[in-house]
């Protein structure tokens, strides 16, 4: 079992050596076998010290208490418990412990100082608590006072929200009957009061599991749902945020250490299940407004599917499919033009389609996918009724929703016997709504080329017929979009044009005409954008579109509108016009092989060459595309999918190719818009957005490009571009961006170090590519003033300093300026490095002499500064060695030169070195002739 005294001694040795984990292990073993109460108290006291060092304050206080239980006058245990309790925020208990210590040892300065400090902190806390309590009550009094001025009420509401976002403030509101008072504010029915109350509750729930669970019990999930259900966009969004804050707190957003109190915080799974079921009820409820339904769908989309596929648990998705899939399908099938439909916004049905896609994508195996398809199939079959046309078009619209979401599921349903025939029959119906639903379903069904080829043979003549015969503009434009989509089935392949020469241009011209007509309703004009999204695969259409400034402006205005369902279509048009889509590299050898074997070879349109693309980019910039993109990125909506974000990032990258346009991008809000694109979305999208940030950061003033705290958010995307699997150009521009930021402020340098960029930058200083190596060295030159960087150079067992010295001997002037500049600054800051520099390579003196003789005055100046730093390093042997070498002659020659504005910096530096050598007594002053 082991001797407790021996185990205690071993623990002491490990503690003194700094190995806290092993010390805890020894003390724990000793506790298990120790029978002597006094020895046991000492071991507990020692283990308490270990836990303090590990910042495990709950265990530290517990062990110290066990030692005190044996000996109430154990001064070390008392002081350790005091330290632990202070860190846990229990100041009054900590004060009592240190007061006892000071009584036992009244002359101990550490005890007296702690006593004074804790006393002051307790007084301050009491003062704050009482003043906060009175402030909270005062705010509620103002809000409930009917005679209070509007400005006063607004200020009180804002103060309450701000206070709730601080943990201490949120606790004071909670303790002062705040939840009941907030419910009273909601009951007034006044929108501004409801908003203030809901936002305050959100602040109180953020990051605090226990408080969030208490608020759920006091307010009730049904009450929260009823608030979100109101027909007020702001209130619905605020209630959605409240649900999100609660969800985050209950599922890991609370990082507090509760210790023994953890048992008091109940299991949140029951509450989370209640919330999920309530949201599913909201999805298909007629009592819920369109805005409320949007937010319920958004919450499900954000919180049900797994964030990462590597997570094993997808039970929430399976539960949602079993209990709510039919409800989501009901939303997709709604036809707003018919009576007795659910309240919807312009975005609701597309949000539902996105949710369906996420749920289907989250399934792991074929049986789960088959279950999803069977539920959809059963739902569609139950709605098709030849005697009830309203139910039938509900089913067809539902298939449209699936085609916009999990396409494979919708495609399988379209392929079922009778569905396509029904869609074709509905196209010939006399009712406008039947035709609209059927044509839209045909459009969505032709999303994949294989399906489009089927519809080309069956549906083109039908759509042309509808287009020519109908006098209804709404039907006409939808039929046109169907033709546009089928006409673009060959993508940008010039040799795969589906229609006759000039037909696509005619279709596009008609789309632009409708787009620019303000008399037509927004929903119909949206379809014109859908048509152009397909037709702009053709380079002739792209050129015509960017030449039509009114059409571009009309599209940008629609992109900024509340209807977010067109974001994807607008992004498609911009990607097509800038040719920023993914292009497969075609090897000439494979082209020859394909021609020989009579296979199809893709052809590039003459107008898709670089000079045409550049002209289109310039026209888009002139029309104000960046401000439209900035508004599109702000869409806090599930409709802004990761794929849409990637396309917007691609467009930004195409716009930023010319350095002269980067200032315009920043001026129109592009800098701000790029940060969320670089942090969220597909991997390709994040990389491309980060690349644009790098291009802007490399040549712009960070204060202007990324004002305020936003500049600190830029660093992580740039560091992500340094990974070795990124392209060389991305590495290079990221390094240049970091160089610019590192030269701006110490806070930015510290942030770069914290983001673990240093190892990557150091690796690129070894890079064979000269430009990347130069960029990395320049970046390091700007970082060496940072204390953490200097510490890395002071560490033994690495070649960091050696590399800097050797880089000074390279032939590239710019590289020498950067390397010698870094060496000059780091040796000035850390005198020890002057000595270390002479040990890392035997060539150091030769390299230093070459720097001091360099023809480039900037290199020479840096070399002479290094010499001065070495003379000033408090190492007399090193200073002597320098002066005994040829450096004295070099210093004399440079220092005696006549003043010359072009080389004055180097001359002054040489003279300073000579003066320092004289001060050290290594050379005598120049004797003046008598």
């Amino acid at each position: 079992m082991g001797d407790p005294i021996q185990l205690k001694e071993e623990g002491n040795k490990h503690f003194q050596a700094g190995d806290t984990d092993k010390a805890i292990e020894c003390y724990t073993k000793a506790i298990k076998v120790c029978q002597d109460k006094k020895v046991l108290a000492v071991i507990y006291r020692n283990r308490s010290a270990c836990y303090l060092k590990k910042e495990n304050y709950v265990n530290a206080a517990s062990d110290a208490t066990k030692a005190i239980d044996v000996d109430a006058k154990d001064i070390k245990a008392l002081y350790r418990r005091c330290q632990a309790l202070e860190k846990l925020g229990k100041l009054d208990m900590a004060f009592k412990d240190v007061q006892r210590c000071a009584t036992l040892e009244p002359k101990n300065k550490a005890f007296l100082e702690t006593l004074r400090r804790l006393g002051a902190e307790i007084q301050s806390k009491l003062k704050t608590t009482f003043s906060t309590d009175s402030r909270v009550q005062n705010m509620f009094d103002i809000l409930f006072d009917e005679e209070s001025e509007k400005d006063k009420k607004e200020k009180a509401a804002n103060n309450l929200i701000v206070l709730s976002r601080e943990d201490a403030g949120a606790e004071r509101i909670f303790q002062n009957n705040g939840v009941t008072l907030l419910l009273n504010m909601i009951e007034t029915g006044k929108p501004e009061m409801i908003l203030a109350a809901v936002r305050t509750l959100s602040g109180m729930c953020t990051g605090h599991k226990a408080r969030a669970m208490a608020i759920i019990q006091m307010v009730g999930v049904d009450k929260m749902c009823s608030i979100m259900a109101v027909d007020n966009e702001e209130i619905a969004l605020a209630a959605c945020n409240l649900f999100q804050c609660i969800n985050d707190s209950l599922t890991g957003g609370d990082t507090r250490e509760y210790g023994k109190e953890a048992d008091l915080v109940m299991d949140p799974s029951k509450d989370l299940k209640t919330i999920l079921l309530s949201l599913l009820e909201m999805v298909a409820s007629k009592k819920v407004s369109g805005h409320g339904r949007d937010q319920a769908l958004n919450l499900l989309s954000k919180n049900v599917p797994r964030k990462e596929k590597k997570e094993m648990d997808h039970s929430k998705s399976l539960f949602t499919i079993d209990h709510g899939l039919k409800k989501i399908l009901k939303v997709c099938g709604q036809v707003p033009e018919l009576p007795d439909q659910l309240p919807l916004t312009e975005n609701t049905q597309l949000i539902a389609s996105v949710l369906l896609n996420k749920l289907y994508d989250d399934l792991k195996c074929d049986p789960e996918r088959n279950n999803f398809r069977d539920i959809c199939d059963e739902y569609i079959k139950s709605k098709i009724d030849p005697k009830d046309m309203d139910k039938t078009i509900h089913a067809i619209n539902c298939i449209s929703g699936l085609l916009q979401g999990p396409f494979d599921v919708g495609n399988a349903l379209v392929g079922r016997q009778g569905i396509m025939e029904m869609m074709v029959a509905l196209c010939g119906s006399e009712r406008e709504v039947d035709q609209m639903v059927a044509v839209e379903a045909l459009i969505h069904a032709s999303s994949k080329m294989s399906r489009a080829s089927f519809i080309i043979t069956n549906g083109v003549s039908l759509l042309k017929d509808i287009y020519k015969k109908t006098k209804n503009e709404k039907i006409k434009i939808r039929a046109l979009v169907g033709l546009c989509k089928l006409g673009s089935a060959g993508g940008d392949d010039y040799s795969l044009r589906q229609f006759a020469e000039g037909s696509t241009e005619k279709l596009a011209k008609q789309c632009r005409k409708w787009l620019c007509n303000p008399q037509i309703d927004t929903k119909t004009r949206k379809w014109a954008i859908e048509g152009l999204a397909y037709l702009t695969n053709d380079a002739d259409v792209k050129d015509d579109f960017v030449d039509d400034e009114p059409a571009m402006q009309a599209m940008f205005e629609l992109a900024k509108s509340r209807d977010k369902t067109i974001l994807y279509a607008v992004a498609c048009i911009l990607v097509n016009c800038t040719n920023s889509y993914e292009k497969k590299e075609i090897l000439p050898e494979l082209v020859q092989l394909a021609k020989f074997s009579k296979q199809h070879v893709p052809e590039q349109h003459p107008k898709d060459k670089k000079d045409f693309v550049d002209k289109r980019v310039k026209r888009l910039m002139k029309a104000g595309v960046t401000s439209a993109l900035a508004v599109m990125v702000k869409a806090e909506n599930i409709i802004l999918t990761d794929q849409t974000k990637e396309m917007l990032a691609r467009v930004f990258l195409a716009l930023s190719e010319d350095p002269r346009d980067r200032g315009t991008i920043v001026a129109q809000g592009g800098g701000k818009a790029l940060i969320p694109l670089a942090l969220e979305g597909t991997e390709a999208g994040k990389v491309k957005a980060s690349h644009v940030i790098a291009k802007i950061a490399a040549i712009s003033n960070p204060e202007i490009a990324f004002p305020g705290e936003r500049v600190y958010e830029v660093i992580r995307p740039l560091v992500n571009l340094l990974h070795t699997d990124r392209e060389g150009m991305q590495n290079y521009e990221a390094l240049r961006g970091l160089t610019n930021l590192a030269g701006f402020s110490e806070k930015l340098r510290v942030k770069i170090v914290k983001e673990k960029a240093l190892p990557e930058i150091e690796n690129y200083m070894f890079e064979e590519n000269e430009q990347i190596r130069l960029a990395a060295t320049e970046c390091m030159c700007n970082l060496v003033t940072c204390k953490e960087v200097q510490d890395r150079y002071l560490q033994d067992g690495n070649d960091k300093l050696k590399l800097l010295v050797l880089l000074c001997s390279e032939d590239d002037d710019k590289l020498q300026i950067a390397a010698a500049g870094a060496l000059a600054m780091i040796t000035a800051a850390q005198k020890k490095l002057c000595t270390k520099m002479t040990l890392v390579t035997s060539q150091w003196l030769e390299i230093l002499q070459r720097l001091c003789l360099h023809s480039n005055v900037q290199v020479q100046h840096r070399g002479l500064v290094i010499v001065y730093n070495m003379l000033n390093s408090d190492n007399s042997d090193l200073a002597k060695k320098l002066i005994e070498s040829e450096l004295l002659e070099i210093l004399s020659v440079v220092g005696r030169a006549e003043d010359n504005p072009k080389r004055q910096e180097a001359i002054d530096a040489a003279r300073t070195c000579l003066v320092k050598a004289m001060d050290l007594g290594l050379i005598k002053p120049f004797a003046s002739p008598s």
Side-chain angles (χ1 to χ4, degrees), residues 79 171 207 264 267 270 392 406 450 563 575 642 669 707 810 856 926:
Y79 191 59
E171 194 58 33
L264 303 174
D267 177 22
K270 189 180 175 184
T392 303
S450 56
D563 184 350
V575 163
D642 288 350
E810 292 288 326
N856 185 317
F926 296 113

Side-chain angles (χ1 to χ4, degrees), residues 41 145 157 166 173 187 252 294 549 565 616 678 699 703 706 712 757 818 876 909:
D145 184 0
E166 297 167 9
I173 296 171
E187 291 304 321
D294 283 2
E549 193 157 328
T565 56
R616 289 200 289 268
I699 62 169
E703 272 190 327
F706 312 102
Y712 300 102
S876 55

Side-chain angles (χ1 to χ4, degrees), residues 145-338:
D145 184 0
E146 292 294 330
E147 294 177 11
S148 287
E149 294 172 19
K150 190 182 175 183
D151 287 353
K152 269 191 175 182
K153 281 193 172 186
E154 278 181 14
K155 193 174 180 182
N158 287 332
N159 287 343
L160 204 58
I161 295 163
V162 171
L163 194 64
S164 72
R165 289 173 184 164
E166 297 167 9
D167 191 49
E171 194 58 33
R172 295 325 309 161
I173 296 171
F174 187 80
Q175 297 293 348
N176 280 277
N177 197 31
V179 178
T180 306
L181 292 168
L182 290 167
L183 279 168
N184 292 342
M185 285 173 66
I186 291 166
E187 291 304 321
T188 63
K190 295 175 182 175
E192 64 277 8
M193 294 283 267
I194 297 170
L195 264 176
V198 173
R199 285 170 178 167
T200 304
L201 286 169
S202 297
M204 291 167 72
C205 290
T206 301
H208 201 296
K209 186 176 180 179
R211 199 157 53 224
M213 290 185 76
I215 287 170
I216 292 171
Q217 301 308 315
M218 295 168 81
V219 177
V221 174
D222 289 344
K223 181 67 181 175
M224 292 183 208
C225 289
S226 69
I227 297 166
M228 195 160 80
V230 299
D231 192 15
N232 181 307
E233 190 174 2
E234 264 196 295
I235 291 173
L237 188 60
C240 171
N241 187 47
L242 171 58
F243 271 120
Q244 191 60 52
C245 292
I246 290 170
N247 181 79
D248 291 347
S249 292
L250 299 192
T251 56
D254 184 358
T255 54
R256 285 174 182 75
E257 270 194 32
Y258 284 99
K260 289 181 181 177
E261 294 166 29
D263 297 333
L264 303 174
V265 181
M266 295 177 292
D267 177 22
S269 55
K270 189 180 175 184
D271 285 332
L272 288 168
K273 188 178 177 181
T274 305
I275 290 170
L276 179 53
L277 283 167
S278 300
L279 291 174
L280 290 171
E281 281 302 313
M282 285 186 75
V283 166
S285 169
K286 281 190 176 178
K287 294 176 183 176
V288 177
S289 70
H291 296 302
R293 201 176 320 281
D294 283 2
Q295 299 308 335
L297 289 164
N298 277 333
L299 282 165
L300 291 168
S301 195
K302 193 171 181 183
N303 299 302
V304 171
R306 290 169 292 167
K307 301 277 189 299
E308 300 283 341
K309 287 287 182 282
K310 59 188 174 188
E311 291 174 27
M312 295 308 294
D313 183 19
H314 70 317
S315 56
K316 283 193 284 186
S317 288
L318 298 176
F319 183 86
T320 303
I321 289 165
D322 289 341
H323 293 81
L325 181 53
K326 287 184 178 179
K327 290 169 182 169
I328 302 165
L329 290 170
K330 183 180 178 180
V331 174
C332 288
Q334 297 298 296
V335 183
E337 289 77 10
L338 293 179

Side-chain angles (χ1 to χ4, degrees), residues 627-891:
S627 58
L629 287 169
V631 173
M632 288 165 75
V633 172
K634 281 181 195 169
E636 287 183 21
N637 202 303
I638 216 73
I639 288 174
L640 188 67
T641 60
D642 288 350
Q643 286 73 22
T644 309
K645 288 176 189 172
E646 181 183 325
M647 288 199 289
L648 297 178
R650 287 178 180 278
V651 175
F652 267 120
L653 188 57
L655 299 175
S656 66
E657 281 302 312
D658 187 343
R660 290 171 295 183
D661 290 332
R662 292 173 200 169
T664 309
I665 293 171
V666 169
Q668 293 181 357
K672 182 181 178 182
L674 281 160
I675 294 170
L677 293 179
L679 297 173
E680 299 166 5
T682 65
E683 193 56 34
K686 289 192 287 189
V687 169
K688 291 185 187 303
S690 300
H691 194 181
V692 186
I693 288 174
K695 285 173 178 286
I696 291 170
I699 62 169
S700 308
N701 180 338
E703 272 190 327
I704 296 169
F706 312 102
E709 294 297 304
R710 204 169 291 131
V711 72
Y712 300 102
E713 296 176 54
V714 166
I715 290 165
R716 184 169 297 168
L718 296 184
V719 174
N720 288 340
L721 281 187
L722 297 181
H723 294 168
T724 48
D725 56 349
R726 304 281 181 253
E727 294 172 13
M729 185 54 77
Q730 291 168 350
N731 299 152
Y732 171 69
E733 297 200 283
L735 286 165
R736 288 189 64 215
L738 287 169
T739 303
N740 195 14
L741 292 170
F744 196 73
S745 78
E746 181 63 16
K747 277 181 80 176
L748 281 169
R749 288 191 282 275
V750 170
K751 177 70 174 168
I752 292 169
V753 174
K754 278 187 179 174
E755 290 293 341
K756 298 177 182 169
L758 281 180
E760 302 285 0
I761 296 166
E762 285 162 357
N763 285 342
Y764 286 116
M765 288 171 72
F766 288 96
E767 177 66 42
E768 287 181 18
N769 182 293
E770 290 179 5
Q771 284 184 301
I772 292 178
R773 185 173 51 174
L774 170 62
T777 310
E778 286 177 337
C779 190
M780 187 57 73
C781 179
N782 281 359
L783 285 169
V784 291
T785 56
C786 187
K787 182 73 169 63
E788 287 90 334
V789 180
Q790 293 167 14
D791 290 342
R792 286 172 74 90
Y793 277 90
L794 284 166
Q795 289 168 6
D796 292 325
N798 63 65
D799 290 332
K800 294 178 176 60
L801 191 62
K802 181 179 180 180
L803 178 62
L804 266 187
V805 176
L806 293 177
L807 286 174
C808 290
S809 66
E810 292 288 326
D811 293 332
D812 182 353
D813 281 13
K814 287 183 180 177
L815 185 59
Q816 283 184 301
I817 289 169
L823 210 51
M825 285 191 282
I826 205 165
T827 50
Q830 298 290 343
K831 291 183 178 182
K832 288 180 185 176
L833 289 174
C834 295
T835 306
K836 187 178 178 182
M837 185 179 142
T838 66
L839 305 174
V840 293
T841 173
S842 57
Q843 299 170 294
W844 69 272
L845 189 55
E846 183 189 336
I847 291 167
L848 200 53
Q849 288 170 354
R850 284 178 59 190
L851 289 177
C852 295
L853 286 168
H854 208 285
S855 56
N856 185 317
V857 69
Q858 291 186 56
V859 178
Q860 186 183 32
H861 175 236
R862 284 157 176 75
L864 292 162
V865 170
I866 297 167
V867 173
Y868 175 79
N869 293 340
M870 295 175 93
L871 290 169
N872 194 40
S873 67
D874 303 333
N875 183 337
S876 55
D877 292 339
L878 176 57
K880 191 176 178 185
K881 188 171 184 179
L882 286 173
I883 296 304
E884 286 175 355
S885 72
E886 292 174 14
L887 266 172
L888 178 58
E889 191 179 337
I890 295 167
L891 292 171

Side-chain angles (χ1 to χ4, degrees), residues 30-47:
I31 287 165
K32 287 177 183 176
V33 295
C34 187
Q35 300 297 320
D36 187 325
K37 277 191 174 182
K38 287 189 177 180
V39 175
L40 194 60
V42 173
I43 299 169
Y44 272 124
R45 185 179 73 197
N46 289 359
R47 195 170 72 167

Side-chain angles (χ1 to χ4, degrees), residues 267-473:
D267 177 22
S269 55
K270 189 180 175 184
D271 285 332
L272 288 168
K273 188 178 177 181
T274 305
I275 290 170
L276 179 53
L277 283 167
S278 300
L279 291 174
L280 290 171
E281 281 302 313
M282 285 186 75
V283 166
S285 169
K286 281 190 176 178
K287 294 176 183 176
V288 177
S289 70
H291 296 302
R293 201 176 320 281
D294 283 2
Q295 299 308 335
L297 289 164
N298 277 333
L299 282 165
L300 291 168
S301 195
K302 193 171 181 183
N303 299 302
V304 171
R306 290 169 292 167
K307 301 277 189 299
E308 300 283 341
K309 287 287 182 282
K310 59 188 174 188
E311 291 174 27
M312 295 308 294
D313 183 19
H314 70 317
S315 56
K316 283 193 284 186
S317 288
L318 298 176
F319 183 86
T320 303
I321 289 165
D322 289 341
H323 293 81
L325 181 53
K326 287 184 178 179
K327 290 169 182 169
I328 302 165
L329 290 170
K330 183 180 178 180
V331 174
C332 288
Q334 297 298 296
V335 183
E337 289 77 10
L338 293 179
D340 201 31
Q341 301 292 296
L342 297 175
L344 306 173
T345 69
E346 309 94 331
N347 305 318
T348 310
Q349 287 175 300
L350 190 54
I351 298 172
S353 292
V354 171
L355 173 56
L356 288 172
N357 192 48
K358 286 191 170 188
L359 289 172
Y360 187 70
D361 195 40
D362 200 40
L363 300 178
K364 291 182 182 178
C365 57
D366 287 343
E368 291 174 359
R369 294 185 192 97
N370 290 337
N371 176 53
F372 187 100
R373 291 191 194 102
D374 290 344
I375 294 171
C376 293
D377 198 22
E378 184 191 326
Y379 183 82
I380 299 295
K381 279 179 183 173
S382 72
K383 295 296 175 186
I384 291 174
D385 183 355
K387 294 177 184 176
D388 187 342
M389 202 53 75
D390 286 1
K391 278 182 78 177
T392 303
I393 63 169
H394 176 93
I396 299 297
N397 216 30
C398 189
I399 292 173
S400 279
L402 285 164
L403 287 164
Q404 291 175 83
F407 182 83
D408 293 341
V409 179
N411 203 19
L413 288 167
V414 171
R416 292 281 160 86
Q417 191 176 0
I419 297 288
M420 184 62 81
E421 289 79 1
M422 193 181 297
M423 286 159 64
V424 171
L426 283 169
C427 287
S429 168
E430 291 181 5
R431 281 204 314 177
E432 176 191 298
V433 68
D434 296 345
Q435 291 182 37
M436 278 204 309
V437 169
V439 173
E440 284 181 23
L442 273 175
I443 293 165
H444 296 310
S446 57
S447 286
K448 298 283 167 80
M449 196 173 170
S450 56
R451 175 57 60 183
S453 60
F454 169 79
I455 293 176
I456 282 171
T457 54
N458 295 274
V460 170
S461 56
L462 176 72
L463 289 168
K464 279 185 177 176
D465 203 42
I466 293 170
Y467 180 68
K468 286 174 184 173
K469 288 181 181 177
T470 186
K471 291 179 181 176
N472 187 316
E473 290 282 288

